[in-house]
Amino acid sequence: MINPTDGPALKRFLTREQIHQRVAEMGAQISRDFAGQTIVLVGVLKGAAIFLADLARAITVDCTFDFVAVSSYGKANRSSGAVRLIKDLDHAIENRNVILVEDILDTGLTLCYLRNMLLQRKPATLKIAAFLDKPARRLQTIEADYVGFPMPNDFVIGYGMDFAEHYRNLPDICWMPADVHD
Ligand code: IMP
């Protein structure tokens, strides 16, 4: 494993300053779209935890948090198959404005599964906020309503995103070095 403090070994995709700036813009957009209303932010554990914490503080309208956790069968670094719910919401979302908050939209399998599950509970509105989007990897048709940055078909770590559970604590988003990744 690479030491997260071993900065020079990692190539940055996005610096913490770029992340902060974009999250502020996303929070302002969401605050405008939901002016005068209340929102439930639903974070997808564990990857979205850090993005949700930052996004929530950039939102100026009243909001509450809830979390779901899923696991996908497949390789350690890619979701590639069936999605399974391992932690459900704590509270009902009927008639609420829900924003599903995800670190990265990749094949779309996770968010399609969660969107269908949450729509069955009849929220007033359901939006998706994904900090990163890899459109070239999509296997299911789904787009986020709020996207931080599009990115190419490559693997990143940091800002909540992991490789085999490590590197989530990197403050910048870095390219996964090929020698560790493969
Ligand atoms: P999807 O179901 O393929 O859209 O996968 C979404 C999940 O895959 C994300 O929430 C991440 O947990 C994981 N993932 C996809 N790409 C990356 C990446 O580049 N780095 C870290 N995790 C990733």
Side-chain angles (χ1 to χ4, degrees):
M1 287 294 160
I2 300 159
N3 183 341
T5 59
D6 194 11
L10 294 168
K11 287 206 176 64
R12 267 97 181 135
F13 168 46
L14 295 167
T15 64
R16 64 201 78 183
E17 291 80 15
Q18 290 172 304
I19 294 169
H20 179 79
Q21 171 66 31
R22 188 67 190 119
V23 173
E25 291 167 1
M26 295 175 81
Q29 175 74 52
I30 290 169
S31 304
R32 281 195 297 275
D33 291 352
F34 289 92
Q37 302 178 64
T38 296
I39 310 170
V40 187
L41 297 178
V42 173
V44 185
L45 294 172
K46 303 169 200 158
I50 291 176
F51 173 43
L52 185 144
D54 283 349
L55 184 65
R57 286 176 288 180
I59 291 174
T60 52
V61 301
D62 181 44
C63 68
T64 60
F65 307 161
D66 209 335
F67 293 93
V68 290
V70 294
S71 74
S72 47
Y73 300 104
K75 290 197 293 179
N77 61 338
R78 298 275 183 180
S79 73
S80 59
V83 180
R84 187 169 56 101
L85 188 73
I86 53 178
K87 187 223 168 292
D88 203 342
L89 294 173
D90 291 335
H91 301 286
I93 54 164
E94 189 169 354
N95 296 324
R96 307 292 308 274
N97 295 312
V98 175
I99 303 181
L100 194 46
V101 180
E102 177 65 306
D103 53 356
I104 182 162
L105 175 51
D106 186 26
T107 64
L109 293 171
T110 305
L111 283 176
C112 270
Y113 171 89
L114 289 172
R115 180 178 62 180
N116 293 341
M117 184 188 94
L118 297 182
L119 281 176
Q120 287 171 10
R121 302 179 188 190
K122 305 199 182 324
T125 58
L126 178 63
K127 303 283 185 196
I128 294 173
F131 192 64
L132 297 179
D133 183 13
K134 291 186 200 175
R137 287 261 307 159
R138 210 73 93 245
L139 295 177
Q140 291 199 355
T141 308
I142 187 162
E143 297 304 326
D145 302 281
Y146 306 99
V147 173
F149 293 92
M151 64 169 285
N153 177 9
D154 220 324
F155 201 82
V156 288
I157 49 175
Y159 197 61
M161 289 168 280
D162 73 312
F163 174 70
E165 294 296 331
H166 292 266
Y167 312 116
R168 294 192 196 275
N169 60 321
L170 292 174
D172 305 312
I173 298 178
C174 302
W175 300 109
M176 186 71 196
D179 50 341
V180 180
H181 182 191
D182 295 331

